Amino acid sequence: MGIPEVLQNLPPDAQNQLAEATVKAVDKLGTAIGKAFGYFLEPGHRVKMAKADSEKTKLEADAEAYKMKSIADATAYQIETVSAALKTNVDLPIKYDGKQNVFDIDISNPELLLQRADIRQNYQKMRKELNLQNVIHGAYLELGDKTVENSEEIDSDWMTRFLNIAEDISDEQLQSLWSKILAGEILKPKTYSYRILEFLRNISKNELNSLLKILPFIVNDFVPKYDKILEKYGISYSLILELDELGVLNSSPMISRSFAFEPKQSNELLFNTDDIICLLANKSDKKIEISFPIFAVSAIGRKLPTLANTSINKNFIKDVVEEFSKQNSTIKVSVHRVKSIEETAISYEDSPLYELNGEQNGK
């Protein structure tokens, strides 16, 4: 990996130390997976992953062919068994479903049971391997050419638990979600706790779709609770209740953010996104208290937007700001473009994108 151009004037030893401090994220992924599998992936693993699409297709075809062969073999064996049973024991109970064209015979042949068990187990092993390959391949694509600090290691227990879960994920949409989790953990270890893994392990595809609906409306650690505005964007209260049951947010109507303003106090943060920051200022000469109704989002819920690469709905934000301004006429609301965010420090442009003063419209 090359040294950035701006650092090429450093002494050679310093350049070498810098190069050793970071590694390709895909290399770190290969090492972490290798440790979990019990062996290290060979240096050519990235080349192999580049061919993963064709390998995936072949593995899927092999799995389907094996499934069909297994069904055919089992059916042939079943018919052969029925035929033999008829010859040797006319009293053997045999059921025939004419609609399904299936024989159902009552036998206790251990060899037949073992054969069926082998068919089922081998097919399940192939499906688990295919699921893992799909999730790992998706993580490689997510990481691309990104680099990470070499000193940050992935917890081996976390990786083992992750792989044990991923091998049972066969839905493509859910596999994409788990690819993002793996890539995110490679880039920043300890991002996704065991609790989050277990939560996501147990959600269905329909529940995932419900989660995806709410993500564009999560601001910081809450969803602004203006029912008519939420309904305008397709967020029903029944969806809110479903997400409460899943543990993503709290549907209580009693929760709000409270603000106490001294006279002429300004630059109080209402909320921010990656793009904009919304600030409040007391226009009056009196001390005032106001509240902002919200649905509080859980720690698990706050992790979800990063997995779905979801952007905040900007029209929703503007509607919320306008409604807040209408309900709090003594407060001036200004919305600014964010320049940078470093931990809790937010740098923004002085000139607002727009301002609202109670009943006034935005500029």
Side-chain angles (χ1 to χ4, degrees):
M1 181 180 64
I3 300 296
E5 190 173 325
V6 294
L7 302 176
Q8 288 180 357
N9 292 327
L10 291 173
D13 289 345
Q15 290 189 21
N16 291 335
Q17 291 177 1
L18 181 61
E20 292 173 359
T22 59
V23 296
K24 286 284 188 181
V26 291
D27 290 330
K28 186 174 182 179
L29 172 60
T31 299
I33 293 171
K35 287 182 178 179
F37 285 166
Y39 58 85
F40 287 90
L41 299 182
E42 61 272 22
H45 64 84
R46 277 186 292 166
V47 176
K48 290 185 177 181
M49 290 309 297
K51 300 176 182 177
D53 285 334
S54 60
E55 293 177 359
K56 172 186 171 184
T57 302
K58 182 177 182 300
L59 188 55
E60 286 175 337
D62 288 346
E64 187 63 23
Y66 183 85
K67 177 183 177 183
M68 298 307 296
K69 182 178 183 301
S70 299
I71 293 172
D73 288 347
T75 302
Y77 186 88
Q78 187 180 51
I79 293 173
E80 181 181 345
T81 303
V82 169
S83 184
L86 285 171
K87 292 178 182 179
T88 59
N89 191 347
V90 292
D91 295 328
L92 185 67
I94 300 174
K95 297 179 182 179
Y96 176 72
D97 187 338
K99 294 181 180 180
Q100 300 293 329
N101 195 29
V102 172
F103 286 102
D104 184 12
I105 60 175
D106 182 16
I107 62 173
S108 57
N109 185 335
E111 292 183 2
L112 177 59
L113 294 177
L114 286 172
Q115 183 186 31
R116 287 177 173 173
D118 286 341
I119 290 171
R120 176 178 56 81
Q121 290 174 1
N122 288 332
Y123 181 68
Q124 287 180 342
K125 288 177 183 178
M126 292 184 70
R127 292 305 305 177
K128 287 177 181 288
E129 183 63 23
L130 177 60
N131 292 340
L132 275 179
Q133 292 296 330
N134 288 343
V135 170
I136 293 170
H137 176 54
Y140 270 84
L141 297 180
E142 286 286 331
L143 293 172
D145 291 329
K146 296 175 183 176
T147 59
V148 292
E149 289 186 14
N150 196 22
S151 59
E152 295 181 287
E153 291 192 3
I154 306 301
D155 182 79
S156 58
D157 289 339
W158 185 96
M159 180 60 76
T160 299
R161 184 174 299 197
F162 174 89
L163 295 174
N164 287 338
I165 295 173
E167 68 180 10
D168 290 324
I169 307 297
S170 56
D171 180 81
E172 288 188 6
Q173 187 178 9
L174 292 173
Q175 285 178 350
S176 177
L177 177 71
W178 286 93
S179 294
K180 289 182 172 66
I181 293 172
L182 180 54
E185 191 69 13
I186 291 296
L187 292 173
K188 188 177 179 181
K190 299 181 177 63
T191 294
Y192 300 106
S193 67
Y194 289 165
R195 285 186 62 200
I196 292 175
L197 293 186
E198 290 302 317
F199 167 78
L200 293 173
R201 175 184 200 168
N202 294 313
I203 67 170
S204 67
K205 186 175 180 180
N206 288 338
E207 289 169 338
L208 175 61
N209 288 330
S210 295
L211 292 175
L212 294 176
K213 286 181 182 179
I214 199 65
L215 298 188
F217 309 101
I218 294 179
V219 182
N220 297 136
D221 57 355
F222 60 86
V223 174
K225 185 186 176 299
Y226 290 127
D227 295 339
K228 290 184 178 179
I229 296 177
L230 288 171
E231 289 174 3
K232 173 183 175 181
Y233 291 93
I235 305 300
S236 64
Y237 190 62
S238 62
L239 176 63
I240 295 295
L241 292 176
E242 179 185 353
L243 295 171
D244 188 335
E245 186 176 350
L246 285 174
V248 174
L249 51 74
N250 189 329
S251 63
S252 171
M254 307 303 295
I255 301 176
S256 64
R257 295 190 66 192
S258 298
F259 298 88
F261 290 91
E262 297 297 329
K264 300 298 182 179
Q265 181 181 342
S266 62
N267 291 338
E268 183 72 17
L269 176 68
L270 181 62
F271 61 77
N272 71 278
T273 71
D274 291 338
D275 302 317
I276 61 100
I277 184 171
C278 183
L279 300 175
L280 307 179
N282 182 3
K283 300 185 298 181
S284 73
D285 294 325
K286 299 179 180 179
K287 181 177 180 178
I288 58 174
E289 295 183 358
I290 61 173
S291 63
F292 180 38
I294 63 170
F295 294 118
V297 176
S298 68
I300 289 175
R302 293 196 292 272
K303 289 291 184 182
L304 299 178
T306 59
L307 291 176
N309 295 328
T310 302
S311 299
I312 302 295
N313 188 307
K314 294 180 180 179
N315 292 327
F316 170 75
I317 291 298
K318 190 167 185 179
D319 287 346
V320 166
V321 170
E322 290 176 353
E323 183 63 27
F324 176 86
S325 181
K326 288 178 183 179
Q327 294 186 16
N328 299 279
S329 59
T330 57
I331 296 294
K332 182 180 77 172
V333 186
S334 60
V335 177
H336 304 252
R337 180 176 284 111
V338 169
K339 293 193 293 186
S340 65
I341 300 177
E342 296 182 8
E343 297 182 355
T344 59
I346 303 175
S347 173
Y348 57 90
E349 295 179 355
D350 292 332
S351 178
L353 294 171
Y354 56 90
E355 290 179 335
L356 295 171
N357 294 274
E359 296 298 329
Q360 297 181 20
N361 295 321
K363 291 183 179 179

